[in-house]
Amino acid sequence: MGGTAQDGGRLTTHVLDTASGKPAEGLSIEFFKLAGETRTHLKTVVTNADGRCDAPLLAGADFRTGEYELVFAAGDYLRRQGTKLPEPAFLDRVPIRFGMAEQKHYHVPLLISPYGYSTYRGS
């Protein structure tokens, strides 16, 4: 398969609701590029019925190595599911900061429940 070093990478994510055992549909995710103390908003996306975004967050010519942040609106999602959360919620907005050093596929999933979350570099 063809491709140059400039367009070889892509970034994807998905969210699983570990309390219900289902994909987290309708969860809003803000996406930022980090450069030192500067945080630039790139886009906001919402997960589909499979808990995924309809398209990669970055791909092709838009993909750049560097530091990024995803901010998952977990509290809003959980409240819409009917989950009773304290005020303030233990987990409301879940930020994940990560670096991409290569022109490859980076997959940053979130496993979420009202009182815990985890992430990893997926495939």
Side-chain angles (χ1 to χ4, degrees), residues 31-35 38-42 64-69:
F31 180 44
F32 299 89
K33 170 82 169 114
L34 306 175
T38 304
R39 184 174 177 249
T40 304
H41 181 263
L42 299 178
R64 299 277 183 276
T65 57
E67 293 183 85
Y68 293 88
E69 180 180 45

mmCIF file of all heavy atoms in Angstrom, residues 31-35 38-42 64-69:
data_model
loop_
_atom_site.group_PDB
_atom_site.id
_atom_site.type_symbol
_atom_site.label_atom_id
_atom_site.label_comp_id
_atom_site.label_asym_id
_atom_site.label_seq_id
_atom_site.Cartn_x
_atom_site.Cartn_y
_atom_site.Cartn_z
ATOM 1 N N PHE A 31 -10.709 17.661 21.308
ATOM 2 C CA PHE A 31 -9.376 17.246 20.864
ATOM 3 C C PHE A 31 -8.492 18.481 20.748
ATOM 4 O O PHE A 31 -8.861 19.457 20.103
ATOM 5 C CB PHE A 31 -9.507 16.520 19.526
ATOM 6 C CG PHE A 31 -8.216 16.028 18.944
ATOM 7 C CD1 PHE A 31 -7.274 15.394 19.728
ATOM 8 C CD2 PHE A 31 -7.961 16.203 17.596
ATOM 9 C CE1 PHE A 31 -6.084 14.932 19.177
ATOM 10 C CE2 PHE A 31 -6.785 15.740 17.042
ATOM 11 C CZ PHE A 31 -5.841 15.111 17.835
ATOM 12 N N PHE A 32 -7.310 18.430 21.401
ATOM 13 C CA PHE A 32 -6.396 19.563 21.448
ATOM 14 C C PHE A 32 -4.991 19.169 21.021
ATOM 15 O O PHE A 32 -4.550 18.052 21.284
ATOM 16 C CB PHE A 32 -6.293 20.109 22.885
ATOM 17 C CG PHE A 32 -7.574 20.615 23.450
ATOM 18 C CD1 PHE A 32 -8.435 19.764 24.136
ATOM 19 C CD2 PHE A 32 -7.936 21.943 23.307
ATOM 20 C CE1 PHE A 32 -9.626 20.229 24.672
ATOM 21 C CE2 PHE A 32 -9.128 22.417 23.840
ATOM 22 C CZ PHE A 32 -9.975 21.566 24.518
ATOM 23 N N LYS A 33 -4.272 20.116 20.434
ATOM 24 C CA LYS A 33 -2.837 19.998 20.151
ATOM 25 C C LYS A 33 -2.123 20.780 21.233
ATOM 26 O O LYS A 33 -2.526 21.891 21.574
ATOM 27 C CB LYS A 33 -2.526 20.583 18.767
ATOM 28 C CG LYS A 33 -1.042 20.732 18.468
ATOM 29 C CD LYS A 33 -0.441 19.430 18.003
ATOM 30 C CE LYS A 33 0.951 19.621 17.460
ATOM 31 N NZ LYS A 33 1.991 18.994 18.243
ATOM 32 N N LEU A 34 -1.077 20.201 21.805
ATOM 33 C CA LEU A 34 -0.299 20.855 22.851
ATOM 34 C C LEU A 34 1.059 21.265 22.300
ATOM 35 O O LEU A 34 1.688 20.522 21.556
ATOM 36 C CB LEU A 34 -0.097 19.907 24.033
ATOM 37 C CG LEU A 34 -1.366 19.296 24.630
ATOM 38 C CD1 LEU A 34 -1.000 18.283 25.699
ATOM 39 C CD2 LEU A 34 -2.267 20.370 25.184
ATOM 40 N N ALA A 35 1.491 22.471 22.669
ATOM 41 C CA ALA A 35 2.825 22.955 22.302
ATOM 42 C C ALA A 35 3.317 23.814 23.459
ATOM 43 O O ALA A 35 2.934 24.987 23.573
ATOM 44 C CB ALA A 35 2.781 23.756 21.008
ATOM 45 N N THR A 38 0.865 26.119 25.343
ATOM 46 C CA THR A 38 -0.229 26.434 24.424
ATOM 47 C C THR A 38 -1.067 25.192 24.158
ATOM 48 O O THR A 38 -0.544 24.122 23.853
ATOM 49 C CB THR A 38 0.323 26.981 23.087
ATOM 50 O OG1 THR A 38 1.145 28.117 23.368
ATOM 51 C CG2 THR A 38 -0.795 27.385 22.156
ATOM 52 N N ARG A 39 -2.379 25.357 24.263
ATOM 53 C CA ARG A 39 -3.334 24.260 24.053
ATOM 54 C C ARG A 39 -4.320 24.753 22.999
ATOM 55 O O ARG A 39 -5.122 25.638 23.267
ATOM 56 C CB ARG A 39 -4.015 23.971 25.388
ATOM 57 C CG ARG A 39 -4.957 22.828 25.432
ATOM 58 C CD ARG A 39 -5.390 22.655 26.895
ATOM 59 N NE ARG A 39 -6.359 21.614 27.074
ATOM 60 C CZ ARG A 39 -7.629 21.819 27.414
ATOM 61 N NH1 ARG A 39 -8.073 23.034 27.613
ATOM 62 N NH2 ARG A 39 -8.442 20.796 27.566
ATOM 63 N N THR A 40 -4.265 24.159 21.807
ATOM 64 C CA THR A 40 -5.087 24.599 20.681
ATOM 65 C C THR A 40 -6.187 23.582 20.409
ATOM 66 O O THR A 40 -5.906 22.409 20.148
ATOM 67 C CB THR A 40 -4.218 24.766 19.414
ATOM 68 O OG1 THR A 40 -3.151 25.670 19.715
ATOM 69 C CG2 THR A 40 -5.035 25.297 18.251
ATOM 70 N N HIS A 41 -7.448 24.052 20.437
ATOM 71 C CA HIS A 41 -8.587 23.173 20.153
ATOM 72 C C HIS A 41 -8.609 22.856 18.656
ATOM 73 O O HIS A 41 -8.615 23.770 17.824
ATOM 74 C CB HIS A 41 -9.885 23.857 20.578
ATOM 75 C CG HIS A 41 -11.093 23.017 20.336
ATOM 76 N ND1 HIS A 41 -11.879 23.147 19.222
ATOM 77 C CD2 HIS A 41 -11.644 22.014 21.071
ATOM 78 C CE1 HIS A 41 -12.863 22.271 19.279
ATOM 79 N NE2 HIS A 41 -12.740 21.573 20.395
ATOM 80 N N LEU A 42 -8.606 21.577 18.317
ATOM 81 C CA LEU A 42 -8.634 21.154 16.916
ATOM 82 C C LEU A 42 -10.041 20.801 16.465
ATOM 83 O O LEU A 42 -10.454 21.138 15.371
ATOM 84 C CB LEU A 42 -7.699 19.969 16.688
ATOM 85 C CG LEU A 42 -6.221 20.223 16.980
ATOM 86 C CD1 LEU A 42 -5.417 18.954 16.755
ATOM 87 C CD2 LEU A 42 -5.685 21.363 16.132
ATOM 88 N N ARG A 64 0.234 14.855 12.418
ATOM 89 C CA ARG A 64 1.545 15.363 12.808
ATOM 90 C C ARG A 64 1.936 14.705 14.129
ATOM 91 O O ARG A 64 1.100 14.546 15.014
ATOM 92 C CB ARG A 64 1.512 16.874 13.041
ATOM 93 C CG ARG A 64 1.121 17.705 11.846
ATOM 94 C CD ARG A 64 2.323 17.948 10.938
ATOM 95 N NE ARG A 64 1.982 18.805 9.837
ATOM 96 C CZ ARG A 64 1.428 18.421 8.700
ATOM 97 N NH1 ARG A 64 1.113 17.161 8.518
ATOM 98 N NH2 ARG A 64 1.187 19.269 7.726
ATOM 99 N N THR A 65 3.199 14.366 14.267
ATOM 100 C CA THR A 65 3.666 13.878 15.556
ATOM 101 C C THR A 65 3.627 15.044 16.547
ATOM 102 O O THR A 65 3.533 16.206 16.165
ATOM 103 C CB THR A 65 5.098 13.314 15.447
ATOM 104 O OG1 THR A 65 5.952 14.332 14.928
ATOM 105 C CG2 THR A 65 5.148 12.087 14.540
ATOM 106 N N GLY A 66 3.662 14.722 17.823
ATOM 107 C CA GLY A 66 3.637 15.756 18.856
ATOM 108 C C GLY A 66 2.795 15.325 20.034
ATOM 109 O O GLY A 66 2.455 14.153 20.174
ATOM 110 N N GLU A 67 2.468 16.307 20.874
ATOM 111 C CA GLU A 67 1.683 16.044 22.072
ATOM 112 C C GLU A 67 0.255 16.515 21.864
ATOM 113 O O GLU A 67 0.015 17.591 21.299
ATOM 114 C CB GLU A 67 2.295 16.757 23.271
ATOM 115 C CG GLU A 67 3.650 16.192 23.649
ATOM 116 C CD GLU A 67 4.203 16.874 24.877
ATOM 117 O OE1 GLU A 67 3.848 16.444 26.001
ATOM 118 O OE2 GLU A 67 4.970 17.829 24.717
ATOM 119 N N TYR A 68 -0.682 15.707 22.355
ATOM 120 C CA TYR A 68 -2.106 15.972 22.159
ATOM 121 C C TYR A 68 -2.866 15.679 23.448
ATOM 122 O O TYR A 68 -2.341 15.058 24.365
ATOM 123 C CB TYR A 68 -2.663 15.091 21.034
ATOM 124 C CG TYR A 68 -2.091 15.447 19.683
ATOM 125 C CD1 TYR A 68 -0.919 14.871 19.227
ATOM 126 C CD2 TYR A 68 -2.735 16.373 18.872
ATOM 127 C CE1 TYR A 68 -0.389 15.214 17.988
ATOM 128 C CE2 TYR A 68 -2.214 16.711 17.630
ATOM 129 C CZ TYR A 68 -1.042 16.128 17.193
ATOM 130 O OH TYR A 68 -0.521 16.475 15.982
ATOM 131 N N GLU A 69 -4.129 16.115 23.476
ATOM 132 C CA GLU A 69 -4.995 15.834 24.607
ATOM 133 C C GLU A 69 -6.410 15.561 24.102
ATOM 134 O O GLU A 69 -6.916 16.289 23.245
ATOM 135 C CB GLU A 69 -5.024 17.025 25.567
ATOM 136 C CG GLU A 69 -5.898 16.801 26.780
ATOM 137 C CD GLU A 69 -5.908 17.996 27.722
ATOM 138 O OE1 GLU A 69 -6.037 19.139 27.254
ATOM 139 O OE2 GLU A 69 -5.786 17.756 28.940
#
